[in-house]
Amino acid sequence: MTVSATVLDCPDPRALARFYRDLLGWTVVEDRPEWVRLRSPDGGSGLSFQAEPAYTRPVWPAAEGAQQMMAHLDIEVDDLETAGRHAEALGAVQAEFQPQEHVRVHLDPAGHPFCLFLPGA
């Protein structure tokens, strides 16, 4: 068995795929209105986006009675400030709650949390 991709549900797969394509520099390898798949130029597992009409944005940090995140992406970077500015220029927002010094939690345009972190953090 091989894990081929992580899949994020969202209201607009093309818009969210465009965000991650531009953030990561990956390539679109499948593009349909309800499904978009990205691949890293280096190979490995991909990242896919699936239309979910009943999508509800998760909250960060978790709050009782609110939509919980089910997963998040960890993205290693060389410079937190530069990577954070790049993500924000593409439409991400930095979360108010930051639990670790060498990690920055951001929310993608659909509200999925993702972490930018320094090597060794």
Side-chain angles (χ1 to χ4, degrees), residues 66-89:
Q67 177 63 47
Q68 305 294 305
M69 72 170 182
M70 300 299 290
H72 70 275
L73 301 175
D74 284 342
I75 302 169
E76 185 175 312
V77 299
D78 294 327
D79 181 308
L80 282 177
E81 298 307 316
T82 300
R85 283 192 302 273
H86 175 60
E88 291 166 19

Side-chain angles (χ1 to χ4, degrees), residues 21-77:
R21 178 200 67 198
D22 294 346
L23 181 70
L24 301 171
W26 288 15
T27 303
V28 175
V29 294
E30 187 175 353
D31 183 354
R32 293 184 280 140
E34 72 286 349
W35 180 269
V36 180
R37 185 167 47 116
L38 302 180
R39 283 277 182 228
S40 167
D42 301 329
S45 296
L47 189 56
S48 297
F49 308 89
Q50 174 177 284
E52 175 50 66
Y55 179 76
T56 301
R57 292 173 72 93
V59 297
W60 170 259
E64 191 172 327
Q67 177 63 47
Q68 305 294 305
M69 72 170 182
M70 300 299 290
H72 70 275
L73 301 175
D74 284 342
I75 302 169
E76 185 175 312
V77 299

